[in-house]
Each structure stands twice: as structure tokens, then as C-alpha cells.
Amino acid sequence: LVTFAYESFSENVFVARAIRGALAATAGLTLVTAIQLLRPHMNKQRYILPVAVALLSLLLVWKFAFPPVLVLGVAAVLGYFLPARESA
Amino acid sequence: MNAFVLYLFLLKAIVTTFSGLASVPIVRNDLVVHRHVLTDHELNTSLAITRTTPGPMGLYVVSVGYFVDGTPGAVAAWLAMITPAFLMIPLLEFARKKVEHPRFKSVLRCVVFASAGLLLWVTVPLARDAIHGYLTVAIAVVAFALAITKRLDSLWIVLGAAVITMIVGS
């Protein structure tokens, strides 16, 4: 219903302005979501693995055009072979 | 796009990432990049709608379904969203002991880290679509800062941004 309302009222100048602001904020919040996924697994002693895996995924999908599902598969395989204490 | 095909695409995205916003990169790759049945603008709008309405973050797929195929698409997306919940019950019975295994936990953890990297990747085109001019740059930066430092609910951030641009204009 909300999506239908968005489509119906998006021609209105004021609504269009409001949507522009909401979309800009959403872009910022999407970046926050990425950081929030890593945050619970990081502290001063253990931050290398989360950051390294996230950056490796970014590199694979961006520079080498890996499909996202394949990137997740690579991460799963990596997780399987990593010693449990290192990834804790 | 056929509603059943849409259902399968969205189900794949939800199942492989354990739902939530982590499925956004897969949805974008399938529906925006390869199938061209959705635009970055519509995807970002779906995320904005989800952030301003009650319910789980994974609900954005229903808006995505609506943009792709109208009401049948929304229904297909909703079915894709609830299907894993039904699958999870027998799966948990089967995997009850395995989920506590350190190796299984390590796999899950690495998938979550990779999901974060994929979300970083998907933020770039969404920001490119949404940010035009100083005001929207400022809004994106302030939204990021507020969410990361104040832990303010995203509803208030998005509504605040909407009100500011409505008043200030472009």
C-alpha cells in the first residue's frame, strides 16, 4: 500500500522533494547497515578477520565481477577452513 | 517478469543471506544489473519505504516485487519472504546440534562479514542515484553520522530528511 501511495503521489512537487531527501538518507543508512554487520564481531584485539573478509568480498564483486552469491560461497568455504578460535 | 520467476529470484536472495538488508546486493545483481526489471532508484525507494514503516527490514522485497510486477509481484515477494520461515522449522530440527559446532559458527560469521562487503558495494550505485547536489550530500552524511553515533531509529532519520528537503527544496 505504501509503495502504491509512493507511486501515486510522487508526481507532486512537495512529495517528490521529500522522497529525494528520504532516498539520500537511505543511502547513508545502507552504509551504516554494512558497518553494523561487522561491529558485533570486532574489538581492539580482533578486527583483522572481519575487515579482511569484508574487503575481500568487496574486491571480488567490484574488481573481478564475481556474482554476490559466489562471493558468499567463497566466504563460507573460508569460514569452514579457518580455525574456530581465529574467527571467534 | 513472471511472478514465479521473481519469487525464485527473491527466495534465492533471502535464503543465501539469511534475509534482512544483506540480501540487497543479490537482489540488485539479479533484478537491476542482469534482468533490468528494476532500477537503482526503485530499489533505493523500496529501502526508504521499509525504513519508514513498521516491520522487519527484509520487508523491502515486497516493495521490490510491487515495482517489478505490480500486485502479483508483491504477493510473490511476500511468499518469498515467508518461505524460509517454513523451511527453517524442519531444518532446525535437523541441524540443532550442528549449529553449535565451532566450524558452522565460523562459516556463518564469514558469510556475515562478506555480506557487509557486498553492502558496501551496493551502497555506491544507490548513493549515485540518490545524491545530487549539496543538500542531499549533507543529508546522507548527517544520516550516516546520526545512525552510527546516536543509534537513532532510522524511521526518524528518514522522516527528518524528507521534511528538511520538503521545506528547503532542491
Side-chain angles (χ1 to χ4, degrees):
Chain A
L1 281 175
V2 177
T3 313
F4 174 74
Y6 161 81
E7 277 204 319
S8 305
F9 295 109
S10 59
E11 297 297 316
N12 180 288
V13 177
F14 286 103
V15 176
R17 278 184 190 172
I19 288 169
R20 202 179 309 145
L23 294 185
T26 305
L29 292 173
T30 307
L31 191 60
V32 174
T33 307
I35 293 167
Q36 281 171 342
L37 279 175
L38 294 177
R39 219 181 219 178
H41 303 279
M42 290 171 65
N43 57 41
K44 281 182 181 171
Q45 284 78 41
R46 294 182 185 279
Y47 60 89
I48 295 173
L49 183 71
V51 172
V53 175
L55 290 180
L56 176 71
S57 326
L58 184 63
L59 188 75
L60 288 176
V61 77
W62 200 353
K63 290 290 170 196
F64 298 101
F66 271 44
V69 173
L70 187 59
V71 174
L72 293 176
V74 170
V77 171
L78 189 71
Y80 185 83
F81 287 109
L82 276 176
R85 63 177 175 80
E86 277 185 31
S87 57
Chain B
M1 175 183 264
N2 182 309
F4 182 67
V5 176
L6 177 66
Y7 166 80
L8 292 178
F9 272 124
L10 293 176
L11 185 63
K12 180 187 88 174
I14 292 166
V15 167
T16 48
T17 55
F18 314 107
S19 195
L21 291 184
S23 59
V24 174
I26 296 174
V27 169
R28 182 177 182 275
N29 191 57
D30 287 338
L31 303 181
V32 179
V33 178
H34 285 109
R35 295 274 167 165
H36 308 292
V37 290
L38 186 75
T39 62
D40 278 326
H41 184 77
E42 289 169 337
L43 180 59
N44 206 13
T45 304
S46 303
L47 295 174
I49 288 168
T50 302
R51 286 190 185 277
T52 49
T53 47
M57 284 298 172
L59 261 177
Y60 84 94
V61 295
V62 178
S63 287
V64 164
Y66 184 85
F67 279 125
V68 171
D69 196 25
T71 306
V75 172
W78 176 72
L79 287 173
M81 199 184 75
I82 64 167
T83 304
F86 288 110
L87 296 176
M88 200 49 77
I89 297 165
L91 199 67
L92 269 181
E93 193 59 41
F94 168 73
R96 195 179 293 264
K97 287 172 188 164
K98 289 188 172 71
V99 289
E100 289 304 317
H101 195 280
R103 189 158 272 183
F104 186 82
K105 283 184 173 177
S106 175
V107 166
L108 281 185
R109 215 172 280 133
C110 280
V111 169
V112 170
F113 301 158
S115 298
L118 293 175
L119 265 177
L120 288 176
W121 167 68
V122 90
T123 304
V124 177
L126 294 185
R128 204 178 287 152
D129 173 76
I131 297 173
H132 300 284
Y134 296 117
L135 181 62
T136 46
V137 169
I139 283 173
V141 171
V142 171
F144 175 82
L146 281 177
I148 207 97
T149 57
K150 303 284 181 193
R151 294 179 185 266
L152 200 62
D153 195 288
S154 59
L155 165 72
W156 302 117
I157 296 173
V158 174
L159 285 182
V163 169
I164 287 168
T165 46
M166 197 156 62
I167 294 168
V168 177
S170 52

